[in-house]
Amino acid sequence: MTARALGSRVGQAVLVLALAFTLAFILLQALPGDAVLIKFENPELGLSPEEIAAIRTSYGADVPWWQAYLHTLAGFLRGDFGFSIQNGAGVAGLLAEVLPQTVTLSVLAFAAAVVLAVTVALLATWARWTWLRNALASLPSVFVSVPTFWLAMVLIQIFSFRLGLVKVIGAGPVEALILPVLTIAVPISAPLAQILVRSIEDVQRQPFVSVVRARGASRWWVLTRNVARNALLPTLTIAGVLFGELVAGAVVTETVFGRAGIGRLTEQAVANQDVAVLQAIVVLSAAAFVTVNLLIDLLGPLVDPRLTKEVGLAA
Amino acid sequence: MPRFSWKNPLLALTVAGALALTGCGQGAGSAPTASASDPVTGGVLTYLDAQPHTSLFPPSGGFYPNGGLVNQITDRLVYQDPATLEFQPWIATSWEVNADATRYTFTLRDDVTFSDGTKLDAAAVAKNFDLYGRGDAARALPVSEAVNNYDRSEVIDPTTVVFHFKAPAPGFLQATSTINSGLLSPATLDGDFTFYGAGNGTKVIGSGPFVVASEKIGAEVVLKARPDYHWAPKASANQGRAYLDEIRYVVTPEAGVRVGALTSGQADIARQIAAPDEAVVTASGAHLVAAQTRGVNNAFSLRFRNATLSDIRVRQALTLGTDRQEIVDTLFTDNYPLATGVLGKTALGYEDLSAKLTHDPARARALLDEAGWTPGPDGIRVKDGQPLKLVVNEAAPQPRSFDVTTLVSQQWKRDLGVDLQILRADAGTYTKAVNDADQVQVNHTMVGRADLDVIKSNYAAKNRNTLLNRNLTDNTIGDQKLEDLLAAVAGTPDPAARIQASQAVQEYLIDQSYVIPLFEEPQVFATTDAVHGFGTEPIGRPSFYNTWVQR
C-alpha cells in the first residue's frame, strides 16, 4: 500500500472515531436522566432535593450540552476519560484494569473458534460418507443457534459443578479461562465454519482441482495444500465482522462467569447509565473495530496475491 | 436501583435445562456438623455476592455489597446486639444522653488504633461524625441517613467527645452502632466521592478486625485479618484477632452460579439465595441463614396525592383486594413471613395490625362502585371515560419484585377490575418515573434499620418520601398530619413515648390505606458445613469476626 493510500485509510479511521464519539455523546445525552440523578436521586439514599442540587453543581451536571461536549472531547484528546459516577473510579484506570482480561479472553476465544471452524470444515468436506459430511456441515447451524448464556450455564453445570473438572470460583488464571473461551468460541466458530465449508466446495469445483487430482494427489493433499488456501480469503473477511460478536459474547460470558472485563463494565455502565464509562467504551470499541478491519485489509494481499491489484499496491 | 439481570423465565428455563442435562442435583449432602467445637484460627473463606461494591463511604453502607465490606473493616462507637437490639460498649466504654436528647457524651477506649497506625481518639471520632452528620456537597458526600438534626462536635479530652444537636435526636445512639457510622481514620475522611469508590479499597482505613488487602474492580475484594485487633464488643465470644486469615468476596452476578458454586464446594457462603433456589441448597446439605431486616416491611406505598388514589375508598379497595397470603404461599418460603403490620415483627415498636389487613374482594368491589368506578366493557373499571389504570415499579433489589407485582396485577385485574402495569425501565427512566406520582402511583419499597427512626426514613418528606407526600416539583406537602406524626418519632426523647409515636404512624398509615404491607423481608444466605459462627448484624449484613472454617 502506498503511503498515500495508508494515510487515507488512517484518515478514514479517525473520521469514524470522531463520528462514533459524537454519536455516542448525542445518544447518551438524549437518554432520560443522567448518572448523577440515578446515583444520588435514588430514593434509598434519602437525600433532600437541596442536597442533590448541590451535588449536581459540584459534578458540573448542570452545564449546557455543548459545553459538556467540548469538555468531554478535550478530555478524550488528553487521555482523560472522566470518572464513573457509579463507583467513583477514574474511567481510564477502570479500562486499563479490565482491558487485558477481555483482550486475553477474546483472542483465545477467537483462536479456539478458528481451530474449531477449520476442523469442522475440513472434516465436513473430506469425509467419505455423505451422512457424515451432512452431519458435520450442519454443526455450524447448531452452534450459531445456541444462546451464549445458555451454553455458559450448561458448561458450568456439567464441567464445574457436576464433574468438578474446572473451578469457576477461585480458579487459577488459566483454569478460569477454559469455560469462558469455549463459551465464546462455539457461536463464533459457526459462521466461520459455514463460510469455509461453502468456499471449499466452490474451490473444489474449479478446474485446477481436477488437474491436481489427475496428477495423482490425494484428496487430503489437495484439500490442505490447494483448496484451503484459496478458500481462506472469504473467511478472513468475515472474521473482521465477527469481532463485534466477540465483544457481545464477552458481555454475557463475563457476567455469567463473574469475570472482570469490558463486557461486565459495559453491562454495569448501561444499567446505571454511567455516561463517562459508556462514552469511553464506545470510542474504544470503535477504535478496536477500525484497527482490526484495517489489519484484515492489509492481510488480504498476503493470503491471495491476486488482491494486490485491487488494493492498488504499486508493484 | 434497577440493574441488568437474567432473572425470571429465561433463567428458570436455563437452570432447569442445565440441571436436567446434568442429571439434576448434587446428591444428598452430609448432615450439619455440630458447631460446638472450638474455633479454629486460620483459613480462607470465600463469600459470593451478586453485585460489586460501589463505595466504602460508611453512610453509603445501606447498599448491601457496600455494607457487607464496611461492616468488617470498621468498628462503631456502640454495639447493638443483633438478637436483643440492646446497646453495649464497643469503642465507647460509656455514654450519657441529656434529658431532651440534644447532647450525647461518649467516653472512649484509649487503646484502639486504625490500621494505618494512627490513634482512634476523640478528635478522630469528632471528625467522623462532623462529616456523617453534615455531609459535604463539594465532595459529593451525602449526609448519613442515620444521623438527624446534627449540629456540632466538641472534643473534651482524648477520650471524651460530646455531640450537640439542633433538635432532639433520640435515634442517635442507635445511629452510632450502624454500619453507616463506621469509624474511619482522619486521613481517610479527607477523601472525596471518587476516593471511596471502586479500586481504592486499600486506602480506606478503619479500625475493624479486617483490612482490605487487594481488589479487582468489579470482580473481587480480599480482606485480611488484623493480627493486633483486641477491641471487640464486650459481648463477643472472641476478643482477639478474627479467626479467619482471609475473606475473598467474589462477585457472582448469576444466581445459578452462586448456588452451584456453593453446593459444589467452590464457595463457603453465598448471599441472595432466591426463594425458588432454597430447596436446591438444603437438598445439597448446605444451610440457609435467613436474617430479618427489622424495618419497614416489603410493601406497596399508595401515592395518595395522585388523582385516582386520592379517594380513600379506592385505596381501601386495593388493600382489601390484595391476596397477600397467596403472594407468600406461591412465590416465597417460610423465610418470608406474611406482613402483619407496617413494620416487621422483630422491628422495634412493631404493632400487630393484621386485623385491619383482611382480604375481602367483594367489599373491595362495593367500595369501587361507591367511588364511581364502574366495570367497563373489557372488565377494567371506568369513571368519566377514564380506565382505572395504575403503574407499579419493579424494585430490582427486592426479592422477586417482578413476580410479586405481576401476581398482584393479576389479582387486581381478576377480582377488582383494576389495570396494574409494571414499570421496568433503564435506570434513568426509572428514577424519573418513580419520583412522579402521576407516572408511578404504587411504589414497591422496603427499608431495614434497627431503630424506631426507620419508619421516618421510609415515609418522611425529607427522607425517602416513598408516598411522595412531598411533591418534588413544587415542594408542597399533601398530608401535614403524617409529617407531624413522623417528626414525633424522630424527635421524642422519652423512649416509651417514642414507641407510642411510631405506633401512631403505623396505625395512621393503615387506617388511611396509604400502605399495603406484603411480607417481612429477610436476607437469605447459604453456608456450607465448613462454616461456623457466621452471623449478621441487626439488619442482615454479614459479620465475619466470629466466623471460622473447618474443612
Side-chain angles (χ1 to χ4, degrees):
Chain A
M1 203 180 281
T2 59
R4 196 168 146 221
L6 193 68
S8 135
R9 284 307 307 262
V10 171
Q12 276 174 28
V14 171
L15 188 67
V16 167
L17 284 185
L19 283 174
F21 175 86
T22 308
L23 201 64
F25 188 86
I26 293 169
L27 290 175
L28 292 170
Q29 291 288 317
L31 287 170
D34 56 53
V36 179
L37 171 91
I38 293 162
K39 173 86 184 172
F40 295 102
E41 217 162 280
N42 180 344
E44 298 206 358
L45 279 179
L47 292 182
S48 70
E50 298 79 43
E51 284 159 350
I52 292 168
I55 290 172
R56 291 186 73 83
T57 310
S58 78
Y59 261 85
D62 285 338
V63 299
W65 67 267
W66 57 269
Q67 263 184 31
Y69 180 84
L70 290 179
H71 178 80
T72 312
L73 184 62
F76 266 68
L77 294 175
R78 284 198 313 269
D80 170 12
F81 303 155
F83 289 93
S84 154
I85 298 279
Q86 195 53 32
N87 60 27
V91 175
L94 275 176
L95 289 178
E97 185 159 331
V98 297
L99 193 58
Q101 316 248 20
T102 303
V103 169
T104 312
L105 179 65
S106 303
V107 168
L108 289 176
F110 190 74
V114 169
V115 171
L116 199 59
V118 169
T119 311
V120 168
L122 287 184
L123 291 177
T125 48
W126 176 68
R128 273 180 197 286
W129 306 283
T130 319
W131 66 266
L132 184 60
R133 281 209 301 275
N134 288 342
L136 286 166
S138 65
L139 264 186
S141 318
V142 177
F143 284 179
V144 82
S145 53
V146 171
T148 314
F149 172 62
W150 187 84
L151 180 66
M153 292 300 287
V154 169
L155 289 176
I156 292 180
Q157 288 289 345
I158 297 176
F159 293 106
S160 186
F161 300 160
R162 184 77 184 160
L163 301 176
L165 295 175
V166 211
K167 280 195 282 188
V168 173
I169 308 295
V174 177
E175 191 180 10
L177 278 165
I178 298 172
L179 294 181
V181 161
L182 261 180
T183 305
I184 301 183
V186 166
I188 297 283
S189 73
L192 286 178
Q194 188 95 333
I195 284 172
L196 208 50
V197 168
R198 184 74 52 82
S199 64
I200 287 174
E201 284 169 355
D202 284 351
V203 177
Q204 270 177 335
R205 276 195 287 274
Q206 287 184 20
F208 83 90
V209 174
S210 312
V211 176
V212 179
R213 286 280 286 159
R215 291 169 67 184
S218 74
R219 290 179 65 238
W220 182 250
W221 200 91
V222 177
L223 184 61
T224 49
R225 302 294 161 91
N226 300 96
V227 176
R229 191 181 155 90
N230 282 294
L232 210 56
L233 193 67
T235 318
L236 196 61
T237 315
I238 197 81
V241 180
L242 283 177
F243 177 80
E245 298 272 320
L246 276 176
V247 176
V251 173
V252 175
T253 309
E254 288 172 353
T255 303
V256 174
F257 288 90
R259 285 180 65 85
I262 295 284
R264 274 295 299 293
L265 193 65
T266 310
E267 175 248 298
Q268 283 161 20
V270 169
N272 298 304
Q273 244 177 63
D274 207 336
V275 177
V277 178
L278 289 174
Q279 183 79 40
I281 289 173
V282 169
V283 173
L284 184 77
S285 307
F289 206 86
V290 165
T291 314
V292 165
N293 282 287
L294 185 63
L295 282 177
I296 285 171
D297 284 354
L298 293 174
L299 271 177
L302 299 181
V303 175
D304 187 345
R306 286 174 299 176
L307 277 183
T308 46
K309 289 188 201 108
E310 289 166 42
V311 177
L313 189 84
Chain B
M1 185 183 350
R3 55 168 195 272
F4 188 83
S5 90
W6 297 99
K7 275 186 303 195
N8 305 322
L10 179 59
L11 176 66
L13 271 175
T14 304
V15 174
L19 285 176
L21 268 173
T22 54
C24 197
Q26 308 298 322
S30 54
T33 52
S35 286
S37 60
D38 287 336
V40 177
T41 299
V44 178
L45 179 126
T46 303
Y47 171 84
L48 307 182
D49 203 318
Q51 289 170 281
H53 78 277
T54 56
S55 173
L56 293 180
F57 186 54
S60 304
F63 182 55
Y64 267 87
N66 295 351
L69 285 164
V70 173
N71 196 30
Q72 325 308 328
I73 64 173
T74 68
D75 298 314
R76 269 80 78 192
L77 284 181
V78 173
Y79 176 75
Q80 188 177 26
D81 187 302
T84 62
L85 300 188
E86 282 169 0
F87 299 109
Q88 293 169 2
W90 193 352
I91 298 304
T93 52
S94 64
W95 51 87
E96 271 171 45
V97 188
N98 70 348
D100 64 353
T102 53
R103 197 176 69 234
Y104 285 72
T105 308
F106 291 90
T107 307
L108 312 176
R109 294 179 71 126
D110 66 355
D111 57 349
V112 181
T113 55
F114 292 105
S115 59
D116 62 358
T118 52
K119 206 158 167 58
L120 197 172
D121 57 10
V125 171
K127 190 169 175 179
N128 272 273
F129 284 95
D130 283 350
L131 180 57
Y132 301 163
R134 295 174 188 148
D136 187 343
R139 292 188 274 157
L141 296 175
V143 178
S144 169
E145 186 179 25
V147 183
N148 292 313
N149 304 328
Y150 188 83
D151 182 22
R152 66 193 167 86
S153 61
E154 186 186 346
V155 176
I156 307 292
D157 61 52
T159 57
T160 313
V161 61
V162 180
F163 296 108
H164 299 269
F165 293 83
K166 288 180 267 189
F172 183 67
L173 188 66
Q174 196 273 344
T176 65
S177 78
T178 64
I179 295 173
N180 307 68
S181 300
L183 298 170
L184 296 179
S185 82
T188 301
L189 292 169
D190 291 333
D192 61 3
F193 169 68
T194 58
F195 174 86
Y196 297 103
N200 278 342
T202 53
K203 296 181 199 154
V204 178
I205 304 299
S207 60
F210 293 92
V211 294
V212 179
S214 67
E215 190 182 347
K216 282 187 212 155
I217 296 179
E220 190 178 274
V221 177
V222 176
L223 302 186
K224 280 201 161 40
R226 238 188 111 172
D228 58 343
Y229 188 84
H230 65 271
W231 42 84
K234 284 282 170 286
S236 166
N238 182 10
Q239 289 289 314
R241 57 153 281 187
Y243 299 128
L244 294 166
D245 283 340
E246 197 174 305
I247 312 169
R248 307 183 85 87
Y249 282 69
V250 181
V251 180
T252 316
E254 259 319 308
V257 176
R258 281 201 303 285
V259 171
L262 186 100
T263 54
S264 65
Q266 294 180 29
D268 303 302
I269 302 184
R271 186 177 78 84
Q272 273 194 347
I273 302 300
D277 288 337
E278 288 189 6
V280 180
V281 170
T282 45
S284 78
H287 315 286
L288 293 168
V289 177
Q292 282 301 329
T293 46
R294 298 176 184 280
V296 175
N297 281 326
N298 191 298
F300 284 170
S301 286
L302 303 178
R303 266 93 183 255
F304 56 87
R305 297 191 69 184
N306 165 262
T308 309
L309 293 183
S310 62
D311 187 335
I312 187 170
R313 291 169 298 189
V314 176
R315 300 197 302 268
Q316 285 167 339
L318 296 178
T319 311
L320 289 165
T322 307
D323 189 348
R324 305 178 310 125
Q325 190 67 49
E326 188 192 19
I327 297 169
V328 175
D329 290 345
T330 52
L331 298 177
F332 295 103
T333 63
D334 293 347
N335 290 323
Y336 301 74
L338 180 71
T340 51
V342 178
L343 301 183
K345 280 195 271 304
T346 52
L348 283 175
Y350 157 78
E351 185 178 11
D352 186 347
L353 295 167
S354 49
K356 296 180 175 182
L357 292 166
T358 51
H359 178 225
D360 187 348
R363 171 96 187 100
R365 284 190 291 272
L367 280 164
L368 288 173
D369 288 338
E370 210 178 291
W373 291 96
T374 51
D378 55 353
I380 300 299
R381 287 174 187 267
V382 182
K383 183 181 180 180
D384 305 328
Q386 294 299 313
L388 184 38
K389 198 169 144 183
L390 299 166
V391 177
V392 63
N393 60 302
E394 180 203 12
Q398 288 167 38
R400 311 195 77 183
S401 177
F402 185 72
D403 302 325
V404 170
T405 48
T406 304
L407 185 56
V408 172
S409 171
Q410 287 164 359
Q411 291 175 354
W412 287 6
K413 187 166 192 176
R414 182 188 65 212
D415 299 339
L416 308 181
V418 174
D419 179 5
L420 180 67
Q421 301 287 327
I422 300 162
L423 171 78
R424 306 184 93 175
D426 67 87
T429 312
Y430 181 93
T431 308
K432 267 192 154 16
V434 155
N435 289 327
D436 178 355
D438 291 329
Q439 288 188 60
V440 172
Q441 297 82 28
V442 181
N443 189 15
H444 193 190
T445 64
M446 72 76 63
V447 59
R449 182 183 163 190
D451 186 74
L452 290 162
D453 272 356
V454 70
I455 199 162
K456 174 184 168 286
S457 286
N458 205 43
Y459 299 111
K462 277 201 164 172
N463 296 125
R464 299 185 186 213
N465 194 25
T466 60
L467 287 162
L468 287 183
N469 188 19
R470 164 151 91 162
N471 179 320
L472 294 178
T473 34
D474 60 16
N475 268 342
T476 55
I477 299 289
D479 184 343
Q480 189 57 46
K481 185 177 176 196
L482 175 62
E483 274 300 290
D484 295 344
L485 288 172
L486 289 165
V489 178
T492 306
D494 175 56
R498 207 168 152 233
I499 287 176
Q500 281 173 8
S502 165
Q503 293 184 338
V505 179
Q506 294 171 49
E507 287 163 27
Y508 186 72
L509 288 170
I510 297 299
D511 288 343
Q512 293 295 314
S513 292
Y514 282 168
V515 173
I516 307 176
L518 300 173
F519 57 88
E520 302 194 359
E521 188 173 320
Q523 270 294 307
V524 181
F525 300 84
T527 69
T528 62
D529 280 345
V531 178
H532 303 269
F534 171 67
T536 57
E537 53 79 77
I539 53 167
R541 270 68 170 171
S543 288
F544 291 115
Y545 175 60
N546 282 306
T547 306
W548 77 93
V549 287
Q550 193 162 30
R551 299 183 202 279

